[in-house]
C-alpha cells in the first residue's frame, strides 16, 4: 500500500510556487494578490480563512482579509464583489462559504469576475471547465488531479467512481476525470489527467457497493464517516478520501478527531494507493488555491 501523502506533495508545490514568485519579485514585478472575504464569525470558516492567508504569506502571495459582520446586506456584499472585480491590484478573490441565510450564495458567486474566481465556482468557470477551455478549476478536484499526477496514477481508460455530486467537489471532479486532456490549450496544467470512464454516485444510488467494486479509482466526497468499507473495494484500487468529519474522541485533548469517509484501517489493506485524513486531500486543496492565484496573475496581469 502506498500512502498518497498530500502534505508532502503540497509542501513541494509550495516550494515551487515560492521560487516562481521570488523570480517575479526579482524582476521588479509586484507579487500576486489574493483577497479573502469572510462574513460573520463561523469558527470553521475563520480557521479556513486563517489557513489560506498563512499559506499565501508562506509562498510570497499578498493576502488581504476583508471581514464583514453577519448582518451585511446582500447588496452591500455584491458591491464589495464589484469593487474587487475592478481592483487591478487584486488578482483573485474568494468569498468564504457558507454565507448567512439572508444572502444568496449563487447571486454572490455569479457576480464574481470568472478571471478572478480562484475558487473556480462561478457558472462561467464551471462551463469553461466542462467545455475544456482554459479555466480556474475548483480547488479540491484540481488538487486531487495533481495528487494522482504526482504519484503517476494513470486515469486513461480507468473506471473512476465519484461518490458525491456537490458543486464544489463531486461534479467538477467527475468532469475532470472524464475529460479529454486538452494539453495544448494555454492555461491548462500539464497534469491534465482525464480520459476515464466515470460513474457518479449519490445518496439515491442503488447498490453502491457493487458499483464501487468495479472501480479502479474511488473518490469519496460524501461527508459520511466509514462509508467506504473494505468489501466495497477491488484489490489494487486507488482510494481518494475527501471527507472531513469530526467524531467524538474522549482520549484527545480537543474531545474529537478528524476522520474521512473511508474505513482507512481495513481499506488500506486492500487498496494499492490511499490518502490519509488528515494530510491527504486537505493540503492539496489549499495549495490549489495558491496555484489558481498565480494562474490568474499570469493570465490577466
Ligand atoms: P455535500 O454535503 O455538498 O455533498 C455530499 C454528497 O455526498 C451528496 O451528493 C450526497 O448525495 C452524497 N452522499 C452523502 N451520503 C451518502 C451516502 N451514504 N451514499 C452515497 N452518497 C452520499 O458535501 P461536499 O461535497 O461539500 O463535501 C463532502 C465532504 O468532503 C465533507 O466531509 C466535506 O467536509 C469534505 N470536504 C473536504 C475538502 C478538503 O479539502 N479535504 C474540501 C471540500 C469538502 P445527495 O446529493 O443525494 O444528497
Amino acid at each position: 500500500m502506498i500512502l498518497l501523502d498530500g502534505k508532502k506533495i503540497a509542501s513541494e508545490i509550495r516550494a515551487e510556487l515560492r521560487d516562481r514568485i521570488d523570480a517575479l519579485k526579482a524582476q521588479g514585478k509586484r507579487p500576486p494578490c489574493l483577497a479573502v472575504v469572510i462574513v460573520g464569525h463561523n469558527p470553521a470558516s475563520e480557521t479556513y480563512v486563517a489557513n489560506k492567508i498563512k499559506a499565501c504569506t508562506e509562498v510570497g502571495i499578498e493576502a488581504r482579509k476583508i471581514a464583514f459582520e453577519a448582518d451585511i446586506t446582500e447588496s452591500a456584499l455584491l458591491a464589495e464583489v464589484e469593487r474587487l472585480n475592478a481592483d487591478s491590484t487584486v488578482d483573485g478573490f474568494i468569498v468564504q462559504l457558507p454565507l448567512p441565510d439572508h444572502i444568496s450564495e449563487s447571486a454572490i458567486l455569479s457576480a464574481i469576475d470568472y478571471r478572478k474566481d480562484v475558487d473556480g465556482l462561478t457558472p462561467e468557470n464551471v462551463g469553461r471547465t466542462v467545455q475544456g477551455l482554459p479555466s480556474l478549476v475548483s480547488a479540491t478536484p484540481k488538487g486531487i488531479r495533481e495528487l494522482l499526477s504526482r504519484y503517476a496514477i494513470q486515469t486513461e481508460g480507468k473506471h473512476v467512481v465519484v461518490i458525491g455530486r456537490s458543486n464544489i467537489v463531486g461534479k467538477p471532479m467527475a468532469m475532470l476525470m472524464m475529460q479529454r486532456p486538452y494539453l495544448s490549450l494555454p492555461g491548462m496544467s500539464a497534469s491534465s489527467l482525464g480520459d476515464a470512464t466515470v460513474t457518479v454516485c449519490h445518496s439515491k444510488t442503488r447498490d453502491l457497493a457493487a458499483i464501487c467494486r468495479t472501480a479502479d479509482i474511488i473518490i469519496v466526497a460524501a461527508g459520511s464517516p466509514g462509508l467506504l468499507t473494505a468489501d466495497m473495494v477491488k484489490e489494487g484500487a486507488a482510494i481518494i478520501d475527501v471527507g472531513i468529519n469530526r467524531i467524538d474522541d474522549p482520549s484527545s485533548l480537543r474531545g474529537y478527531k478528524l476522520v474521512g469517509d473511508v474505513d482507512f484501517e481495513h481499506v488500506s489493506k486492500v487498496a494499492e494507493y490511499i490518502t490519509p485524513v488528515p494530510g491527504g486531500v486537505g493540503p492539496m486543496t489549499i495549495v490549489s488555491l495558491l496555484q489558481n492565484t498565480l494562474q490568474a496573475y499570469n493570465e490577466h496581469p
Side-chain angles (χ1 to χ4, degrees):
M1 184 273 290
I2 295 170
L3 201 65
L4 299 173
D5 190 344
K7 200 171 165 193
K8 175 171 144 268
I9 300 292
S11 154
E12 288 170 14
I13 295 173
R14 277 200 303 276
E16 292 161 18
L17 287 170
R18 204 177 304 121
D19 288 347
R20 287 166 66 187
I21 292 165
D22 282 349
L24 290 170
K25 289 183 190 162
Q27 292 165 26
K29 295 183 177 156
R30 69 167 177 84
C33 172
L34 173 76
V36 183
V37 178
I38 177 165
V39 177
H41 298 278
N42 176 326
S45 294
E46 285 188 332
T47 304
Y48 291 140
V49 166
N51 289 342
K52 288 169 188 175
I53 287 178
K54 183 165 165 270
C56 282
T57 313
E58 279 170 10
V59 299
I61 291 176
E62 184 196 336
R64 293 185 201 165
K65 179 179 169 184
I66 302 169
F68 294 104
E69 290 302 325
D71 61 358
I72 186 174
T73 61
E74 184 176 299
S75 60
L77 192 57
L78 280 170
E80 180 62 19
V81 167
E82 288 308 332
R83 192 190 67 72
L84 288 166
N85 283 342
D87 185 341
S88 60
T89 65
V90 172
D91 301 291
F93 65 98
I94 61 175
V95 179
Q96 184 67 42
L97 302 179
L99 292 171
D101 289 345
H102 66 279
I103 299 177
S104 155
E105 287 184 355
S106 79
I108 299 296
L109 292 179
S110 301
I112 298 175
D113 183 332
Y114 80 94
R115 292 164 298 191
K116 295 192 176 191
D117 167 33
V118 285
D119 257 348
L121 295 179
T122 59
E124 177 94 32
N125 261 324
V126 174
R128 293 176 70 87
T129 302
V130 170
Q131 294 195 348
L133 295 168
S135 61
L136 290 162
V137 174
S138 178
T140 301
K142 180 184 170 107
I144 292 170
R145 184 179 64 179
E146 188 80 36
L147 194 60
L148 292 170
S149 166
R150 297 237 173 183
Y151 278 89
I153 299 172
Q154 300 301 320
T155 56
E156 184 186 321
K158 300 276 183 69
H159 182 204
V160 175
V161 168
V162 178
I163 307 178
R165 54 176 165 180
S166 70
N167 286 340
I168 63 165
V169 189
K171 280 185 202 161
M173 190 74 247
M175 194 50 59
L176 292 184
M177 290 291 105
M178 62 157 269
Q179 220 161 26
R180 282 202 191 98
Y182 288 86
L183 285 169
S184 56
L185 286 172
M188 291 297 283
S189 153
S191 65
S192 296
L193 298 174
D195 276 341
T197 304
V198 180
T199 304
V200 181
C201 300
H202 44 77
S203 67
K204 304 291 186 293
T205 297
R206 289 188 193 153
D207 208 350
L208 182 65
I211 295 169
C212 288
R213 277 193 289 272
T214 67
D216 304 300
I217 299 172
I218 305 177
I219 301 170
V220 199
S224 175
L227 174 64
L228 193 79
T229 49
D231 60 305
M232 298 164 79
V233 175
K234 181 169 81 176
E235 195 143 331
I239 308 299
I240 308 292
D241 190 353
V242 186
I244 302 179
N245 309 290
R246 275 186 186 194
I247 58 165
D248 291 342
D249 179 13
S251 68
S252 130
L253 277 178
R254 298 179 296 188
Y256 68 87
K257 65 176 178 178
L258 293 181
V259 297
D261 291 345
V262 175
D263 172 6
F264 184 90
E265 185 190 344
H266 299 103
V267 171
S268 59
K269 294 189 171 74
V270 187
E272 186 175 358
Y273 298 94
I274 188 165
T275 57
V277 176
V281 174
M284 295 302 296
T285 296
I286 293 203
V287 91
S288 299
L289 179 67
L290 307 181
Q291 289 177 310
N292 276 349
T293 303
L294 184 59
Q295 183 182 326
Y297 171 96
N298 285 331
E299 287 175 5
H300 306 285

